[in-house]
Amino acid sequence: MRKVVRGFYAIAHAVKLCKPNVICAYPITPQTEIVENLAAMHAEGELENCEYITAESEFGAASILVGASAAGARTFTATSSQGLILMSEVLYNAAGMRLPIVMVVANRALSAPLSIWNDHQDSMAMRDAGIIQVYVENNQEAHDLVPVAFRVAEDKRVMLPFMLCMDGFKLTHAYEPIELLEQEIIDAFLPPYDPPVKMTTKKPLTFGAYAPPPYYMEFRAIMHDAMERARKVIEEAMKEWSSITGRDYGGHTFTDYDEAEVAVVAMGSIVSMARDVAEEMRKEGKKVGVLKIRTFRPFPADEVRKALENVDKVIVLERALSLGSDGPLTLEVKSALYGTSKEIHTVVVGLGGRDVPRDLMVKIISEVYEGKVKPGFRFEGIHEYEEVIP
Amino acid sequence: MVKVKIGLGGVTEPLVSKNMKTGDWGTEYPVVDEEKCTACKNCEIYCPDGCIKVVEKEGKKVAVPDYDYCKGCWVCFTVCPADAIKMEVKELYKVEVC
Amino acid sequence: MSEYFAPGHGACPGCGLTIAVRNTLEALEGKVFVSNSTGCLEIISSMYNRSAWGVPYIHSLFENAGAVAAGIEAALKALGRKDEGHVVVFAGDGATADIGIGTLSGMFDRNHDVLYICLDNEAYQNTGNQQSGLTPPGANTTTTPAGKIMPGKLGRKKDMVSIAVAHGIPYVASASVAFPMDIRRKVKRAVEFEGAKYIQIHCPCVTGWGIQGKDAVPLARLAVETALYPIVEFENGELVKVRKIKDRKPVEEYLKPQRRFRHLFRHPEGKKILEMIQKIADENAKRYNLDI
Ligand SMILES: Cc1ncc(C[n+]2csc(CCOP(=O)(O)OP(=O)(O)O)c2C)c(N)n1
Ligand code: SF4
Ligand code: SF4
Ligand code: SF4
Ligand SMILES: [Mg+2]
């Protein structure tokens, strides 16, 4: 059924169809409307066998889901920014306990200074937690990936939390015509959660044991293995799901053009504009392409290397910082390209909701294409600035 | 090389602390005077290690410590209302001072 | 007794925590889901491949045992498995009154069907006797050390029992390992109420308090007999029962044998602190009408 809806509704609707048992969240802009919609669905009795809990904080929300997931429930939460980093201690724990909690992050900047607007600094801060991270470009993709998130997270070969990252406001609050999924096709694709272990008095196991040095390292190594296995599981699930829905977004990455000399590497909603500009430049005979990264954890290094094999110059559009180092996406791309000699431009744009107008995108790509700028790290779309002591 | 078994997410089997015999921790151990013992179970209720139990022995119910685990903490001694428990020093710790 | 909590765990000889835990599990005949905060109990009982637990048990973090329990309860409800057992939290005083008070308050506020048991050994014992909100005044801890100018902890013991009552939850009580049958009765009574329940149990810590195993139970009893640890019981906000005290003892009798209070008997500020502690005991006795 095709309907014009906003991003937050597209998520809430898909979550409902995935039949979670415990939903728990705490409001924060721009995630708020996702949980408000779920709360409304719960209030109307549309969520069967489901407890909807308003926690006292994001820390509490994530903790509640740790208990619920360990007891065998399918669990969902959503958050942003400060909420996500407040959850961080719990999320590391949930990943280590191999609890397949699914969450949507409505990407937003981090304080200070406070900003409710979009960039990717929040989810990037959770990069090393052992949580699968997939970034979406539009609301149809966001909607479609919710069942995939549950299926991958709960796959016995994986058993890790799954973070679906969508740009705050830009996607969460945008109206788009969405092909809404139907219950039957989700039911056929996503089996009920069958936890390999769960807390029950019938088999009284101990969860969350601590590991002394003879064990700890193996526990972490096994998480690493699970993350590696997730690569295949994600691909499988996406492929199967595309054949059912008829909508294909590619696998871990998506390339629009195979003969590019200059490639833009990006994640999230900014990809659409980059692709649009590249297409236009190609009409002018310029060999520009876009490599969209969908899966950030596990990072698809092989795919990235292959996609950029014949490219001379790479522009990484960074929506986050790793203060004191390169951009976090650049670090991944550079590592994937290790041993090759490509020109790499790290271009930080759109922090804290700073607009990236089309003209700017054209300028960024053209300047690199025409060899007008040196490779390396720079900010674009930024005013001149000077620090003063007030 | 030994293969280490790693339970998913740190999940581990119940009651396996029993593989740790803590009976050698203490320097003293309780001895129950079976004549005096009234089988009131006080020691059983209080023992922090759950290692003294009232059982049927030759037709009489008496408290019996499990020396595999008893840490010699004296708690049972302090809660016995019948004065039926005596703490004794283990042979190992009976050092002669000369 | 069947096995809900096995021997072989690593508690110090004479530890009060395990007396409280074993009696709680006995009272509920093992029909429980345990959520435990980081702390002594967790460390002594839940090492990988060395678990002492014979009931389903989970440890997540230091400050979220109440929330984790709420999640278990929600899951059991959603999955139609509520009759499998009671959801019980065991959390230290630090986990309860300090770092986890937010998640605890949320759990109380939403009135989850959870019995929260605070194992009050009056400091962060797992990490080596640092003060908590439930450390009593005058106590020498490693973060409130008694020195030339400082007489140990200055603040009072946080009144968590009243904080719990103020949440309007159906059942709140205090108890002591000196009286295990009272613990059992209260645990059984607590689970008759649907909603959040709080029981705070005074548990001597031989290591942190600087006492011996043979002093553990007698000292826990003295804490009650001096009115420093009032044993009370609230149902639906009403005080329904207190443990009365005959011939209330002076607080010195309780304090003197413990290394954590020893300095009070020679420190220049000691007399003042001792008077303050006695005053607290007098206030407790008056407030709960403990004397007979
Ligand atoms: C967030 C966090 N801060 C600090 C610690 C270190 N820590 C572990 S247990 C503990 C104290 C526990 O005290 P309490 O809750 O009273 O339990 P006890 O060990 O005394 O029984 C501390 C400070 C931690 N594990 N996590
Ligand atoms: S000495 Fe302590 S551990 Fe041993 S039986 Fe008595 S109470 Fe239990
Ligand atoms: S407390 Fe004393 S009298 Fe009672 S059962 Fe134990 S040993 Fe026997
Ligand atoms: S330090 Fe104290 S609370 Fe911890 S195990 Fe030892 S006696 Fe028990
Ligand atoms: Mg403590």
Side-chain angles (χ1 to χ4, degrees):
Chain A
M1 192 196 359
R2 200 170 173 79
K3 240 179 140 177
V4 176
V5 298
R6 299 177 82 175
F8 48 73
Y9 180 82
I11 291 293
H13 186 75
V15 169
K16 177 179 89 173
L17 299 183
C18 291
K19 301 179 178 167
N21 304 116
V22 180
I23 300 173
C24 186
Y26 189 86
I28 181 168
T29 305
Q31 154 267 30
T32 308
E33 288 83 353
I34 298 174
V35 290
E36 284 175 354
N37 270 271
L38 284 165
M41 290 166 181
H42 183 254
E44 294 297 335
E46 294 171 25
L47 291 159
E48 266 175 56
N49 305 323
C50 177
E51 291 291 309
Y52 177 91
I53 302 170
T54 304
E56 72 292 340
S57 71
E58 287 88 353
F59 186 90
S63 300
I64 287 167
L65 294 189
V66 163
S69 184
R74 172 169 289 168
T75 50
F76 177 79
T77 189
T79 190
S80 291
S81 180
Q82 308 309 119
L84 181 63
I85 57 172
L86 181 57
M87 277 185 184
S88 67
E89 190 195 7
V90 188
L91 293 180
Y92 268 77
N93 196 252
M97 293 174 83
R98 308 291 297 281
L99 301 173
I101 296 166
V102 169
M103 64 189 305
V104 166
V105 170
N107 282 112
R108 159 179 160 182
L110 290 177
S111 295
L114 186 141
S115 163
I116 58 167
W117 291 279
N118 167 246
D119 65 33
H120 292 170
Q121 295 188 81
D122 52 0
S123 49
M124 281 297 150
M126 294 303 300
R127 176 187 78 164
D128 300 330
I131 302 175
I132 294 166
Q133 282 196 5
V134 174
Y135 290 75
V136 298
E137 183 181 341
N138 55 46
N139 288 336
Q140 182 73 61
E141 189 180 8
H143 181 70
D144 283 345
L145 283 188
V146 172
V148 173
F150 281 106
R151 198 165 109 167
V152 170
E154 293 168 2
D155 190 295
K156 292 191 174 52
R157 295 165 288 177
V158 179
M159 295 300 288
L160 287 170
F162 195 118
M163 188 185 289
L164 194 56
C165 303
M166 67 192 294
D167 287 321
F169 290 120
K170 290 194 165 90
L171 294 182
T172 52
H173 287 62
Y175 284 97
E176 281 184 72
I178 301 286
E179 199 64 56
L180 292 175
L181 293 162
E182 305 287 340
Q183 187 68 65
E184 303 77 64
I185 66 161
I186 291 194
D187 288 348
F189 174 74
L190 177 66
Y193 179 37
D194 170 31
V197 277
K198 64 168 185 255
M199 288 184 81
T200 165
T201 47
K202 292 181 183 122
K203 191 177 178 209
L205 296 168
T206 291
F207 284 63
Y210 75 95
Y215 292 108
Y216 182 86
M217 205 159 156
E218 286 74 13
F219 273 107
R220 301 307 278 188
I222 275 186
M223 282 176 78
H224 191 72
D225 296 345
M227 206 35 120
E228 287 298 322
R229 284 197 296 270
R231 291 177 194 284
K232 213 175 111 221
V233 178
I234 295 168
E235 260 189 340
E236 266 172 30
M238 283 184 177
K239 205 172 273 170
E240 185 185 327
W241 193 225
S242 304
S243 71
I244 296 170
T245 62
R247 289 183 290 276
D248 189 2
Y249 306 93
H252 298 300
T253 61
F254 177 77
T255 328
D256 63 342
Y257 179 52
D258 289 335
E259 283 138 54
E261 288 167 11
V262 172
V264 178
V265 180
M267 299 198 296
S269 62
I270 203 171
V271 168
S272 296
M273 195 208 283
R275 197 185 289 122
D276 198 51
V277 170
E279 230 172 74
E280 195 132 310
M281 290 178 75
R282 289 204 292 274
K283 283 188 198 140
E284 299 161 16
K286 296 176 181 156
K287 296 192 155 186
V288 180
V290 174
L291 172 64
K292 166 183 171 182
I293 312 268
R294 302 179 73 214
T295 312
F296 183 73
R297 279 292 176 273
F299 191 78
D302 291 344
E303 287 88 339
V304 168
R305 191 182 171 95
K306 197 150 168 281
L308 299 177
E309 206 169 5
N310 300 316
V311 168
D312 302 323
K313 298 178 184 178
V314 179
I315 303 168
V316 184
L317 292 180
E318 286 286 357
R319 308 287 326 282
L321 293 175
S322 174
L323 297 161
S325 183
D326 237 329
L329 184 54
T330 308
L331 291 171
E332 303 290 338
V333 171
K334 280 190 176 168
S335 142
L337 295 178
Y338 182 74
T340 66
S341 53
K342 297 181 196 302
E343 211 179 284
I344 298 176
H345 297 258
T346 302
V347 183
V348 182
V349 290
L351 295 188
R354 177 65 51 88
D355 199 20
V356 185
R358 199 186 152 82
D359 294 353
L360 180 63
M361 187 68 77
V362 173
K363 173 182 171 268
I364 292 168
I365 304 176
S366 311
E367 282 182 352
V368 172
Y369 193 83
E370 289 154 21
K372 286 189 187 148
V373 280
K374 283 212 230 38
F377 182 97
R378 62 181 177 277
F379 292 91
E380 287 285 1
I382 193 167
H383 307 300
E384 270 185 46
Y385 54 84
E386 167 193 13
E387 191 158 47
V388 294
I389 309 292
Chain B
M1 274 237 295
V2 264
K3 205 163 200 177
V4 188
K5 290 221 165 60
I6 297 297
L8 179 75
V11 177
T12 195
E13 295 294 324
L15 302 172
V16 282
S17 61
K18 280 194 268 188
N19 296 331
M20 296 287 282
K21 298 278 156 63
T22 49
D24 58 0
W25 283 24
T27 51
E28 287 140 335
Y29 62 102
V31 178
V32 178
D33 181 336
E34 295 181 357
E35 291 296 305
K36 286 189 184 168
C37 174
T38 61
C40 73
K41 286 198 174 188
N42 242 19
C43 51
E44 179 173 328
I45 289 162
Y46 279 91
C47 173
D49 290 77
C51 57
I52 182 164
K53 287 191 172 81
V54 172
V55 295
E56 182 101 27
K57 211 171 148 188
E58 287 149 24
K60 186 183 189 287
K61 282 194 168 152
V62 287
V64 177
D66 183 343
Y67 297 120
D68 275 353
Y69 300 105
C70 169
K71 294 173 182 164
C73 72
W74 289 67
V75 166
C76 53
F77 169 87
T78 61
V79 300
C80 175
D83 203 16
I85 295 176
K86 229 177 27 200
M87 297 303 289
E88 288 193 3
V89 177
K90 288 179 181 168
E91 276 312 310
L92 180 67
Y93 296 99
K94 282 184 185 156
V95 272
E96 287 210 17
V97 186
C98 40
Chain C
M1 283 194 196
S2 39
E3 282 207 305
Y4 310 128
F5 190 81
H9 61 72
C12 309
C15 174
L17 301 179
T18 50
I19 304 177
V21 169
R22 291 184 52 255
N23 282 284
T24 301
L25 297 179
E26 257 342 291
L28 299 176
E29 293 169 7
K31 269 192 75 178
V32 291
F33 291 81
V34 170
S35 164
N36 182 199
S37 58
T38 312
C40 262
L41 177 64
E42 171 254 340
I43 290 296
I44 60 125
S45 68
S46 75
M47 184 164 94
Y48 184 67
N49 256 350
R50 287 280 181 272
S51 174
W53 296 90
V55 296
Y57 166 96
I58 187 169
H59 159 252
S60 171
L61 297 170
F62 185 17
E63 66 277 39
N64 71 357
V68 170
I72 298 169
E73 187 251 3
L76 296 179
K77 227 192 232 167
L79 299 168
R81 288 168 46 204
K82 277 274 293 180
D83 57 351
E84 251 191 56
H86 305 284
V87 183
V88 176
V89 175
F90 290 117
D93 49 295
T96 302
D98 294 341
I99 198 165
I101 197 166
T103 49
L104 172 60
S105 176
M107 190 276 279
F108 281 170
D109 185 37
R110 295 183 301 268
N111 204 22
H112 288 274
D113 195 16
V114 167
L115 168 57
Y116 189 107
I117 294 183
C118 169
L119 300 172
D120 183 9
N121 54 20
E122 305 196 310
Y124 303 159
Q125 299 301 0
N126 174 51
T127 41
N129 193 33
Q130 295 86 22
Q131 84 102 33
S132 82
L134 294 194
T135 299
N140 181 8
T141 72
T142 52
T143 48
T144 57
K148 241 183 239 144
I149 59 163
M150 295 299 285
K153 170 163 171 167
L154 290 177
R156 290 181 64 141
K157 184 179 173 79
K158 197 185 280 190
D159 187 356
M160 265 315 289
V161 168
S162 297
I163 291 172
V165 170
H167 279 79
I169 60 173
Y171 184 87
V172 176
S174 57
S176 165
V177 298
F179 308 108
M181 295 319 277
D182 182 54
I183 294 177
R184 292 188 190 200
R185 183 187 64 77
K186 282 175 174 155
V187 165
K188 282 191 193 142
R189 179 68 185 142
V191 297
E192 287 174 17
F193 293 86
E194 166 105 26
K197 286 81 66 170
Y198 179 76
I199 304 179
Q200 182 172 304
I201 306 179
H202 201 212
C203 301
C205 165
V206 288
T207 313
W209 295 9
I211 59 172
Q212 289 186 315
K214 59 166 148 299
D215 305 323
V217 172
L219 277 172
R221 201 176 295 127
L222 270 170
V224 175
E225 290 168 349
T226 53
L228 279 174
Y229 217 91
I231 303 297
V232 299
E233 193 173 10
F234 292 85
E235 292 184 2
N236 298 314
E238 295 282 324
L239 182 65
V240 292
K241 205 167 172 203
V242 299
R243 177 175 279 268
K244 292 277 188 184
I245 305 169
K246 215 165 93 197
D247 307 323
R248 181 149 58 89
K249 305 213 161 87
V251 295
E252 280 84 355
E253 251 183 74
Y254 168 65
L255 303 173
K256 217 163 198 167
Q258 304 182 49
R259 197 180 52 221
R260 62 177 174 156
F261 296 117
R262 204 164 48 190
H263 62 285
L264 293 179
F265 298 90
R266 40 167 209 258
H267 196 279
E269 295 283 306
K271 206 165 157 266
K272 238 170 60 193
I273 304 274
L274 287 171
E275 278 165 10
M276 180 179 103
I277 298 173
Q278 185 57 60
K279 205 170 137 243
I280 291 171
D282 296 344
E283 278 169 17
N284 285 342
K286 194 165 155 227
R287 176 175 174 197
Y288 291 116
N289 196 15
L290 299 176
D291 293 319
I292 37 173

